[in-house]
Amino acid sequence: MNITLILLLFLVPIFLLFVRKRRTSKRVPPGSLGLPIIGQSLGLLRAMRANTAEKWLEEKVQKYGPISKLSLFGKPTVFIYGQAANKFLFTSDGTVLSNAQTQSIKMILGDRCLLELNGEDHKRVRAALVSFLKPESLKLYVGKMEEEVRIHLQKHWKDNQIVKVLPLMKTLTFDIVCSLLFGLECGTRRDQMVHCFERMMEGMWSIPINLPFTRFNRSLKASTDLRKMLQQILCEKRYAFEHNSASSHQDLITCLLSIRGENNKELLSEKEMIHNITLIMAAGHDTSSILITFMIRVLANHPNIYASVLKEQEEIAQSKLPGESLTWEDLGKMKYTWRVAMETLRMVPPVFGGFRQAVKDIEYGGYLIPKGWQIFWVTAKTHMDSSIFQEPEKFDPAHFENQATLPPYNYIAFGGGARVCPGYEFAKIETLVTIHYLVRHFTWKLCCIEDTFSRDPMPTPNQGLPIQIIPKKPL
């Protein structure tokens, strides 16, 4: 009896655990996790580069339904979409979902950047960044952005030449980032930084296998080099600030250094400053340059929209004295131009999608999302939904004529909820100031035979979008 009892005590828990696992596995969303580590990562990346990623995901939807499992970038993942999914993702607190990104993004941008933080840490760091990125602060820098735009156009947009728009817009937005975030003027230091930054960005969405000659390995090395540069700049700014030779509103770094917590200590650690400056560099550089590039593409393909944007910008210019700079109030009058920008972001969102992580087992849509699994969301699945936007394949700024009627969590170009992009206003100023000068001083026509683009992971037009520019009036 003793032996039988011992066997029962030993086997019953194992049996119950086995039954529980079987029941649980039946409730996990349908789909395949694919090969270990690699999973479906290569398939998704190939589809993105061929600009067929939405079709690739739609095939999964047709096969498995609106909720399915797969494996991306080394982790089991659940793909969900739609307004309800967006609301769930953007409103769930840190006890349900954490803001964990893929391993490649986490290692390249840093584990103390806003994309990785949750709870009180997220609130503290976000509040520090918003102190510089909020409209009340940014309105002081409109003139500085305008100056960078004028310098750029005078240098690179001359005569009736053919230019490649995307590389030039990346140069412009990086110059603006260097000027406003670091107070770093043109020169060798900027050139070294942009070289590191571009190599770092190449591996943001990659399989996290750190072997020589891989894209991930090159990006990690570039990230390390960039952090060393930022650390040096941070040391110099701290010395200047402590010796009263720099103001708290000089640039982002001095702003962060000026924010104090308990016992008059800096609110952010040096590591948090570096990681979040890197994040804002990435967001302010790539997303804005892509938005402006695709707006230039839209204006070339739609002369009527170009004419309406030009009319709005000329009216603003005529209301000003000769040589007078643009102001925050002027930007507020660029309503139609910003609707064109929003429609561009709807059809070609720079950020394809993103990830959250389940903090605990979650019941969603009749399935179980196990603790530790990633949740993958995709912007275009609501942006191109005909039940939300009438004729979604048609470019129409009127989609945003009455934004109050647009249901929440359907347009997520800048995220949503508490995690809406803190750099939204920064990107808006960059875009509106640049378009103001471009349409008033130039016309252009596309020179590429195939007007297509791919994602790597950001949308990249064929050949960088070559255009022939025709100057109208001197800058």
Side-chain angles (χ1 to χ4, degrees):
M1 284 294 291
N2 288 340
I3 294 173
T4 305
L5 184 60
I6 290 168
L7 283 171
L8 283 171
L9 290 172
F10 177 71
L11 291 173
V12 167
I14 293 174
F15 174 75
L16 291 173
L17 181 64
F18 175 73
V19 170
R20 183 177 179 273
K21 282 188 173 180
R22 285 192 63 190
R23 286 176 180 169
T24 300
S25 66
K26 288 181 180 178
R27 297 176 61 210
V28 170
S32 169
L33 296 178
L35 296 171
I37 301 177
I38 294 172
Q40 287 88 3
S41 305
L42 293 177
L44 174 61
L45 291 173
R46 276 196 298 266
M48 289 176 72
R49 286 169 193 150
N51 197 26
T52 58
E54 287 88 349
K55 182 181 177 184
W56 187 84
L57 287 167
E58 185 57 34
E59 288 172 358
K60 287 187 66 62
V61 171
Q62 294 298 324
K63 188 173 182 180
Y64 300 116
I67 307 170
S68 60
K69 71 173 181 284
L70 67 164
S71 176
L72 292 175
F73 311 111
K75 293 192 73 172
T77 305
V78 172
F79 168 57
I80 61 176
Y81 70 91
Q83 182 191 24
N86 293 341
K87 184 177 180 180
F88 167 65
L89 288 162
F90 292 125
T91 60
S92 295
D93 63 24
T95 63
V96 179
L97 297 177
S98 67
N99 202 26
Q101 298 300 308
T102 64
Q103 190 67 10
S104 56
I105 292 175
K106 180 178 179 179
M107 292 179 71
I108 290 167
L109 291 182
D111 59 4
R112 297 301 297 174
C113 81
L114 204 61
L115 293 178
E116 290 294 324
L117 299 178
N118 294 284
E120 291 304 314
D121 279 345
H122 180 270
K123 289 179 183 177
R124 174 177 54 83
V125 173
R126 183 184 175 88
L129 296 175
V130 167
S131 66
F132 179 82
L133 295 170
K134 63 186 177 183
E136 294 82 0
S137 298
L138 287 176
K139 65 172 59 176
L140 304 173
Y141 302 99
V142 174
K144 203 168 185 179
M145 281 203 194
E146 184 179 18
E147 182 185 357
E148 288 288 347
V149 171
R150 288 174 63 93
I151 291 170
H152 171 85
L153 295 177
Q154 287 169 350
K155 183 177 180 180
H156 298 287
W157 295 60
K158 298 175 182 176
D159 308 321
N160 296 333
Q161 63 176 324
I162 293 176
V163 300
K164 291 187 176 183
V165 177
L166 184 57
L168 284 180
M169 289 302 101
K170 286 189 173 185
T171 299
L172 171 60
T173 54
F174 194 83
D175 287 344
I176 291 172
V177 162
C178 284
S179 178
L180 269 71
L181 301 193
F182 317 131
L184 196 62
E185 301 307 321
C186 295
T188 306
R189 218 170 181 186
R190 255 198 206 185
D191 295 341
Q192 290 173 342
M193 190 174 283
V194 73
H195 178 66
C196 274
F197 179 77
E198 287 174 349
R199 282 191 294 123
M200 181 192 81
M201 292 298 293
E202 289 173 1
M204 291 283 282
W205 278 37
S206 58
I207 298 170
I209 299 175
N210 190 13
L211 294 175
F213 311 114
T214 63
R215 177 180 281 206
F216 182 61
N217 178 265
R218 290 194 301 271
S219 290
L220 275 182
K221 287 180 178 177
S223 175
T224 300
D225 292 341
L226 182 64
R227 287 179 197 175
K228 288 177 182 176
M229 292 182 194
L230 292 176
Q231 188 174 31
Q232 180 61 36
I233 294 172
L234 192 60
C235 288
E236 293 168 7
K237 296 285 183 182
R238 181 180 284 114
Y239 179 86
F241 184 72
E242 290 173 351
H243 288 78
N244 300 316
S245 57
S247 74
S248 60
H249 299 293
Q250 189 168 303
D251 48 53
L252 172 64
I253 294 180
T254 56
C255 178
L256 295 179
L257 290 170
S258 71
I259 303 172
R260 302 286 161 166
E262 294 181 6
N263 302 319
N264 202 35
K265 289 184 178 178
E266 292 170 1
L267 187 64
L268 272 58
S269 69
E270 183 173 287
K271 184 178 183 181
E272 286 173 338
M273 288 188 197
I274 290 172
H275 288 187
N276 283 286
I277 290 165
T278 306
L279 169 64
I280 291 177
M281 284 178 72
H285 171 262
D286 264 31
T287 54
S288 296
S289 61
I290 287 164
L291 169 56
I292 298 167
T293 296
F294 278 89
M295 283 187 74
I296 290 171
R297 178 176 176 256
V298 163
L299 296 175
N301 286 328
H302 299 274
N304 58 323
I305 294 175
Y306 175 94
S308 296
V309 170
L310 176 61
K311 181 175 181 293
E312 180 175 80
Q313 299 302 333
E314 286 290 8
E315 286 174 357
I316 292 167
Q318 289 164 12
S319 70
K320 306 186 72 62
L321 296 172
E324 188 180 1
S325 296
L326 288 171
T327 64
W328 181 260
E329 289 69 31
D330 293 327
L331 301 183
K333 298 173 185 175
M334 301 180 185
K335 291 181 170 42
Y336 181 79
T337 305
W338 187 242
R339 288 204 296 271
V340 174
M342 292 182 74
E343 179 71 347
T344 304
L345 288 168
R346 182 187 71 80
M347 296 195 72
V348 191
V351 177
F352 180 75
F355 297 87
R356 298 287 189 270
Q357 183 171 299
V359 174
K360 59 184 180 183
D361 287 355
I362 299 169
E363 294 277 352
Y364 181 83
Y367 294 102
L368 175 81
I369 301 176
K371 176 182 177 181
W373 281 35
Q374 290 182 143
I375 302 177
F376 179 42
W377 56 272
V378 174
T379 311
K381 291 300 288 182
T382 51
H383 284 194
M384 300 303 289
D385 187 333
S386 59
S387 67
I388 301 167
F389 295 100
Q390 191 175 9
E391 296 184 274
E393 299 291 340
K394 178 184 176 183
F395 189 96
D396 185 4
H399 282 137
F400 297 96
E401 212 154 36
N402 188 357
Q403 294 176 44
T405 63
L406 186 65
Y409 304 106
N410 280 328
Y411 181 74
I412 52 171
F414 293 98
R419 293 188 180 276
V420 69
C421 175
Y424 168 82
E425 295 290 349
F426 188 94
K428 187 174 181 178
I429 299 170
E430 277 185 302
T431 303
L432 292 176
V433 171
T434 303
I435 295 298
H436 173 81
Y437 275 92
L438 282 173
V439 296
R440 291 186 59 242
H441 295 277
F442 301 94
T443 57
W444 55 86
K445 60 181 181 180
L446 299 181
C447 295
C448 43
I449 298 172
E450 294 183 10
D451 184 16
T452 57
F453 67 92
S454 63
R455 284 187 174 272
D456 193 23
M458 299 282 189
T460 304
N462 186 34
Q463 301 172 31
L465 195 69
I467 61 170
Q468 182 175 10
I469 55 173
I470 303 99
K472 294 195 293 186
K473 63 176 80 169
L475 286 156

